[in-house]
Every structure is written in structure tokens, then in C-alpha cells.
């Protein structure tokens, strides 16, 4: 199985469950890459003339080979975008060579060859240039850049997230496939929609809904003041998005002001949650263990390396609410290490006295309920939406100013938490100071808040793989050298013995 194009068994099971329980992802079909699929038993060649029976599914743009019809165990899965498709020598096989150099020779059932041939070729012929015109740069991150684009048929503006294939190590690729899966699983007004996915030999393109207002972080920067009733309206939409994610078994794991988009720059803006690149999947039984997220928003159980569930999103939501209400983080410390220690030792304040005097009691109660150190005591998204702060009709606080936000989240020079390939944690790795807000637009601003850190266990896994490869190479090199030395030594000894025998006088030979 080609690891670059593979998805985990949990992800495959997630896809299967959603397809069975809610009509699959075809209910929200991709615009141009969502082709009519096909499925059934096929023969897959493996050793010259031998074939193994596999249950194949071409859904939208992906080919998945399962061990059997139950679709529980994935043998291989990958994109057909840009693949080379040809007929086999006998004319009964479809030979597929993907952009990842994975080669499969598939033999469809008798009489179904033309159907399979048509679907596979449709998927392979999809290229983004045929459907979208790429325009200016909207933003750039560690592993991707986002460009504005225009639909050539409708003229609609979209955002295209572009990720180079050179950065797609196997674990990162699994996260990408998962990001596609979860974004197609959810259709909600407060979540950025995935419109299309294109995959070429060098890049992967995510075509996303274009949200014009920019990040919530920048929205806060532009406001000279904000009111409690405005925060309530924004935060309710965040909780609605989080609730629908959790109902689908999806944990975002990187909720922060940077990953929440505004539909406009006006006071009555709506918001949409985006960036599911670190999303995890839960099924009500299994817990998650990956150490991922942004330090300033990470829950205590993550830092303690304990198994966790969707409650980590509720902690991050609490941090976001705290920031919207006060313009500061609830954690003490100027460096990331100090902040993480503050979270672990419970050394973080809740609401400062100035905010406590201004905010309503219901508002303060919700903040306390979300920033609970014990995840079992934390409110769920559904419970938070039924909190008195949202249900109350008392608008006494509606005109009360929350904060002038002079000390805005992320303007301090915090350390980033970065795991380098050598397995060592980077220290004193500073974010450049934020530029004066008047000189930059929301899209041009360098993100002053702490960026998403690379999952430590994922990096360690990659480091471990590389080390094993090197050790394996050295081991076999040593074996080969030892073998050659043994052969050379044996040959030399044999020649020496033969030479001594040839030089002995005949009288000394035994009779």
C-alpha cells in the first residue's frame, strides 16, 4: 500500500459510517470533482498473471480498494486526479498510474468494463485550470498558501488553499485526507464550505468558500471597543459550529481567533469556523492522544499527555470567549514555556476585576464553566448553548462596553512551540513583533498570535521512521561488508593452503 495516498482505518471507518447513516458525502457533492461513482468487485493484479479479488469504490475523485464488501479494511486508497489511465494488453484491464507512482491493474466484471473505464477517466481528467482562474495571494502559512480564484463558469469568487506535494509526508497526508473528509461531512452555515478538491503531480488544491471579512482576530484589532451583546452573538455562532462538529464525531483541536472567519467587517458580521487540518475523529469509545494545537488555546489534559475527547474544544472556546470579553489571555506569562506551566499548575486568572465589574453574572458564569481544569466538569457545546447567558431575555448589559481592547490578544512576543526533525524542542523561537495595525490590512498582516504547532508525536514518528531507515541501511551495509570480508578471508586461507601443498616435496606425501 502506498503510504502517501493512504488513510487510516479509523478514517475509513468514519467515511463508511457517515455514508451509511447520512447518505454519504454525496449529499453535499463537490462542484466539479464530484463525479458519479461506481463500486463492485474487481480483480487487482499482483504478481504477473495473478489477481486478488477486491471490493473497489470510486466515489467522487477517489479510488478505494477494500478487502471485502463490508468496507471495513482498506487495502489502498488514493486520488485519481492527474492519473495516467490505459488499457491492459488483453483489453480487459484498466491500468492506473497515480501521481504518487502507485500502479494498479484492475479487471472489472465482464460487461462492466465500459462503465468503469468512463468513471476512472473522468476522475483522472480533472484539473483545476479547467474550472478556476487563480488570482492574487490572500495569505500564506507554514505548509500552504491561499489564493483568490474565480469560477470560470459562474464567476463566483472562491479561496484556493494550495499545498505543495513536497511537504506531504505520510502522516501529514493522512491529516489532509481527514480534513477533506470532515469538511465534506458537514454542511453548516457557520463552517467554511469545501467546494472542490484537485490533486496534481506537485500540488493539492482545496477550493473553499471565500469569506470576505477576514479573521476574527483582525476583526477585533479593527474595533476600538466591543460590547457584551456583540460578543454573545459571535460566540453563539462559534458554539453552533462546534456542536455540529461534535455531533459528527469531529474534534477541531485548533480552535482560535485565527481560525474563525468573519463574513464582513461590519458590527453585525456572521462567523465561520475553518481550518480542520488538525481535526481528530472520535466514536464515543476511543480517546485521542495526539499532542496537537496552539499553546495559548491548549487544554490542561493535552499538556499532561492524557487521553482526551471533544472537551478540549470547549476549553479553547473558553479561551476565545475570555479574549473577546477582556482583550487578554487567561494565562500568565510572557513566554510560551511560562504560559504552559501556568496552565498545568492552574496558575491562571479568570476575569480581571475591571471585567468582573462590567460583565453580567451570566456571562461570567459561562466563562467559569468553560475554563474548568477538570474536563468532566466542562460544559459541552450543547449545554453551553442552553446556558442562561443565551436564554436570558434581560438586556440590561446590552449597552455595556466590555473592553477597548488596547491590549489585544497576540500582540505580545510569545515563543512558538516547534518540534524540529531531530526530535528536539525549539526554544527561544520568537514570533516577529506585530507591525503597526494602521499600516497593514487584515489580509496583509503577519499573524501576531501564536501559530499552530506541529504535533510532537507526529514529528517524533517521522523522525523514528527516518532513523529506522538509516539503521536498516547501515545494518545491511555492515552485513554486506562482513560477508565480503569473510569471503575474502576464506579465499585467502584456501589459496594459502593450496600454495603450501603445491610446494611440499613428493617424499613427504603420505603413501
Amino acid at each position: 500500500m502506498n503510504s502517501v495516498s493512504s488513510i487510516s482505518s479509523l478514517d475509513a471507518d468514519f467515511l463508511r459510517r457517515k455514508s451509511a447513516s447520512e447518505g454519504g458525502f454525496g449529499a453535499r457533492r463537490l462542484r466539479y470533482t464530484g463525479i458519479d461513482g461506481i463500486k463492485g468487485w474487481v480483480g487487482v493484479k499482483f504478481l504477473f498473471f495473478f489477481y486478488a479479488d477486491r471490493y473497489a469504490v470510486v466515489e467522487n475523485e477517489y479510488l478505494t480498494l477494500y478487502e471485502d464488501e463490508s468496507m471495513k479494511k482498506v487495502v489502498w486508497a488514493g486520488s485519481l486526479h492527474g492519473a495516467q489511465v490505459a488499457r491492459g494488453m488483453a483489453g480487459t484491464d484498466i491500468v492506473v498510474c497515480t501521481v504518487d507512482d502507485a500502479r494498479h491493474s484492475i479487471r472489472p466484471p465482464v460487461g462492466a468494463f465500459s462503465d468503469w473505464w468512463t468513471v476512472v477517466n473522468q476522475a483522472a481528467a480533472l484539473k483545476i485550470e479547467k474550472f478556476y482562474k487563480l488570482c492574487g495571494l490572500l495569505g500564506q502559512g507554514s505548509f500552504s498558501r491561499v489564493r483568490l480564484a474565480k469560477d470560470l463558469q459562474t464567476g463566483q469568487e472562491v479561496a484556493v488553499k494550495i499545498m505543495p506535494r513536497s511537504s506531504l509526508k505520510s502522516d501529514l497526508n493522512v491529516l489532509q485526507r481527514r480534513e477533506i473528509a470532515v469538511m465534506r461531512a458537514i454542511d453548516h452555515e457557520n463552517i467554511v464550505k469545501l467546494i472542490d478538491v484537485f490533486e496534481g503531480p506537485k500540488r493539492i488544491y482545496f477550493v473553499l468558500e471565500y469569506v470576505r471579512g477576514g479573521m476574527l482576530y483582525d476583526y477585533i484589532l479593527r474595533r476600538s471597543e466591543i460590547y457584551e451583546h456583540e460578543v454573545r452573538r459571535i460566540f453563539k455562532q462559534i458554539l453552533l459550529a462546534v456542536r455540529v462538529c461534535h455531533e459528527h464525531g469531529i474534534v477541531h483541536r485548533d480552535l482560535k481567533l485565527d481560525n474563525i472567519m468573519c463574513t464582513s467587517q461590519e458590527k453585525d458580521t456572521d462567523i465561520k469556523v475553518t481550518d480542520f487540518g488538525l481535526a481528530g475523529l472520535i466514536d464515543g469509545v476511543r480517546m485521542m492522544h495526539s499532542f496537537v494545537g496552539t499553546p495559548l488555546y491548549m487544554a490542561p489534559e493535552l499538556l499532561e499527555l492524557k487521553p482526551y475527547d471533544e472537551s478540549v474544544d470547549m476549553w479553547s472556546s473558553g479561551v476565545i470567549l475570555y479574549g473577546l470579553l477582556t482583550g487578554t489571555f487567561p494565562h500568565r506569562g510572557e513566554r510560551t514555556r511560562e504560559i504552559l506551566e501556568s496552565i498545568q499548575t492552574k496558575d491562571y486568572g479568570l476575569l480581571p476585576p475591571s471585567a468582573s465589574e462590567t460583565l453580567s453574572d451570566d456571562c461570567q458564569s459561562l466563562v467559569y464553566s468553560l475554563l474548568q481544569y477538570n474536563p468532566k466538569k466542562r460544559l459541552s457545546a450543547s449545554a453551553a448553548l442552553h446556558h442562561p447567558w443565551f436564554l436570558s431575555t434581560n438586556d440590561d448589559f446590552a449597552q455595556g462596553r466590555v473592553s477597548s481592547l488596547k491590549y489585544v490578544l497576540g500582540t505580545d512576543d510569545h515563543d512558538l512551540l516547534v518540534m524540529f526533525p531531530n526530535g528536539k524542542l525549539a526554544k527561544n523561537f520568537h514570533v516577529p513583533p506585530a507591525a503597526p495595525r494602521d499600516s497593514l490590512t487584515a489580509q496583509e498582516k503577519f499573524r501576531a498570535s501564536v501559530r499552530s504547532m506541529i504535533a510532537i508525536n507526529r514529528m517524533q514518528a517521522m523522525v523514528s521512521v527516518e532513523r529506522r531507515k538509516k539503521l536498516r541501511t547501515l545494518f545491511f551495509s555492515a552485513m554486506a561488508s562482513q560477508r565480503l570480508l569473510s569471503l575474502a578471508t576464506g579465499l585467502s586461507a584456501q589459496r594459502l593452503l593450496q600454495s603450501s601443498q603445491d610446494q611440499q616435496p613428493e617424499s613427504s606425501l603420505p603413501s
Side-chain angles (χ1 to χ4, degrees):
M1 178 173 65
N2 192 321
S3 62
V4 176
S5 295
S6 64
I7 57 177
S8 69
S9 59
L10 178 58
D11 292 351
D13 183 59
F14 173 79
L15 291 169
R16 182 183 60 80
R17 285 191 293 109
K18 300 308 296 182
S19 180
S21 62
E22 300 181 16
F25 300 114
R28 210 173 64 75
R29 177 171 171 166
L30 298 179
R31 181 175 296 174
Y32 297 119
T33 54
I35 62 174
D36 292 328
I38 191 171
K39 60 183 178 181
W41 285 99
V42 298
V44 179
K45 183 184 287 187
F46 70 101
L47 287 180
F48 302 106
F49 303 105
F50 297 96
Y51 288 80
D53 290 333
R54 301 297 183 202
Y55 193 76
V57 177
V58 178
E59 185 179 18
N60 296 300
E61 69 282 5
Y62 288 99
L63 167 64
T64 307
L65 300 176
Y66 295 98
E67 191 173 71
D68 53 45
E69 201 168 355
S70 66
M71 297 191 292
K72 291 183 178 180
K73 185 174 181 180
V74 177
V75 177
W76 185 88
S79 173
L80 294 174
H81 285 170
Q84 296 181 355
V85 183
R87 292 175 180 264
M89 294 183 62
T92 58
D93 289 5
I94 300 174
V95 181
V96 178
C97 184
T98 69
V99 293
D100 299 315
D101 294 328
R103 182 184 176 91
H104 295 283
S105 186
I106 300 171
R107 178 169 292 179
V110 177
F113 181 89
S114 61
D115 294 336
W116 281 87
W117 175 261
T118 300
V119 171
V120 171
N121 274 278
Q122 285 178 347
L126 295 172
K127 295 183 179 179
I128 190 169
E129 293 83 2
K130 293 183 179 180
F131 307 98
Y132 299 95
K133 179 183 178 181
L134 297 178
C135 304
L137 184 69
L138 293 176
Q140 190 162 346
S142 302
F143 295 100
S144 65
R145 52 195 172 95
V146 181
R147 293 180 63 179
L148 182 66
K150 183 175 291 187
D151 188 319
L152 293 176
Q153 293 189 24
T154 66
Q156 178 190 6
E157 288 185 323
V158 295
V160 179
K161 180 180 178 181
I162 306 172
M163 302 192 71
R165 295 190 62 82
S166 58
S167 69
L168 304 184
K169 305 302 181 183
S170 59
D171 289 336
L172 293 178
N173 188 263
V174 169
L175 288 177
Q176 280 192 329
R177 304 302 179 197
R178 182 180 297 168
E179 182 176 7
I180 295 171
V182 299
M183 292 192 74
R184 290 176 62 186
I186 303 174
D187 186 5
H188 192 269
E189 60 183 357
N190 295 123
I191 295 178
V192 172
K193 289 180 173 56
L194 177 68
I195 299 173
D196 265 321
V197 180
F198 294 89
E199 185 166 353
K202 295 183 179 180
R203 298 176 181 86
I204 290 182
Y205 304 84
F206 289 10
V207 181
L208 304 167
E209 175 185 7
Y210 178 42
V211 188
R212 296 178 178 275
M215 297 180 295
L216 180 58
Y217 170 76
D218 291 312
Y219 173 85
I220 298 299
L221 281 178
R222 288 190 297 267
R223 298 291 303 275
S224 60
E225 57 186 20
I226 193 169
Y227 298 92
E228 185 176 334
H229 71 281
E230 295 177 313
V231 172
R232 182 173 69 166
R233 182 176 180 276
I234 290 173
F235 192 65
K236 182 176 183 179
Q237 294 181 60
I238 295 174
L239 289 179
L240 288 171
V242 173
R243 182 177 68 176
V244 74
C245 287
H246 293 176
E247 288 175 349
H248 283 72
I250 298 165
V251 183
H252 191 285
R253 299 199 293 190
D254 198 25
L255 286 172
K256 56 184 178 180
L257 291 170
D258 301 62
N259 288 338
I260 300 171
M261 309 298 291
C262 298
T263 58
S264 73
Q265 299 181 11
E266 304 300 326
K267 288 185 177 181
D268 59 348
T269 180
D270 291 322
I271 64 93
K272 294 178 181 285
V273 174
T274 188
D275 198 349
F276 288 81
L278 295 180
L281 306 177
I282 55 175
D283 56 6
V285 178
R286 302 178 185 177
M287 302 283 280
M288 292 173 291
H289 301 79
S290 300
F291 185 51
V292 298
T294 299
L296 285 168
Y297 298 83
M298 292 174 73
E301 59 268 28
L302 261 170
L303 302 178
E304 295 174 358
L305 303 180
K306 294 179 179 179
Y308 60 91
D309 56 16
E310 68 272 16
S311 60
V312 296
D313 281 351
M314 301 314 300
W315 173 276
S316 301
S317 299
V319 175
I320 292 172
L321 177 59
Y322 188 103
L324 292 173
L325 293 170
T326 67
T328 60
F329 283 109
H331 319 305
R332 299 174 182 175
E334 296 182 356
R335 294 178 176 274
T336 301
R337 181 178 296 277
E338 296 173 358
I339 293 170
L340 297 181
E341 291 175 353
S342 171
I343 297 173
Q344 288 181 292
T345 58
K346 307 181 184 179
D347 183 23
Y348 52 86
L350 286 176
L351 292 170
S354 58
S356 299
E357 296 172 0
T358 307
L359 298 174
S360 65
D361 292 340
D362 287 339
C363 179
Q364 297 182 52
S365 171
L366 179 58
V367 175
Y368 299 152
S369 300
L370 293 174
L371 291 179
Q372 287 289 324
Y373 190 87
N374 185 346
K376 294 182 179 179
K377 295 182 179 180
R378 236 170 270 157
L379 289 182
S380 66
S382 181
L385 284 167
H386 288 84
H387 190 274
W389 192 46
F390 296 113
L391 300 179
S392 175
T393 58
N394 187 347
D395 293 332
D396 292 340
F397 62 86
Q399 299 302 320
R401 190 179 70 172
V402 173
S403 172
S404 61
L405 297 179
K406 293 180 180 179
Y407 305 100
V408 180
L409 291 171
T411 55
D412 292 332
D413 186 18
H414 294 299
D415 291 343
L416 282 179
L417 202 58
V418 179
M419 176 60 69
F420 287 128
N422 61 8
K424 294 182 179 180
L425 190 66
K427 299 177 182 178
N428 299 323
F429 188 79
H430 298 287
V431 182
R437 69 184 72 171
D438 292 337
S439 63
L440 297 175
T441 66
Q443 295 173 350
E444 294 169 340
K445 241 190 248 94
F446 181 85
R447 295 191 179 187
S449 63
V450 180
R451 303 189 59 82
S452 300
M453 75 171 190
I454 300 173
I456 289 181
N457 64 333
R458 188 169 73 240
M459 293 299 296
Q460 288 176 333
M462 287 189 280
V463 171
S464 179
V465 169
E466 292 299 322
R467 287 177 178 171
R468 285 201 298 269
K469 288 181 179 178
K470 290 181 180 179
L471 288 174
R472 183 182 177 88
T473 302
L474 291 173
F475 175 75
F476 283 109
S477 297
M479 287 185 60
S481 300
Q482 185 65 32
R483 180 62 175 165
L484 288 173
L485 181 62
S486 299
L487 290 173
T489 304
L491 183 60
S492 298
Q494 186 177 5
R495 286 179 177 175
L496 182 62
L497 178 61
Q498 183 66 37
S499 175
S500 62
Q501 290 177 350
D502 293 342
Q503 294 177 4
Q504 278 188 327
E506 295 184 2
S507 59
S508 64
L509 296 176
S511 57

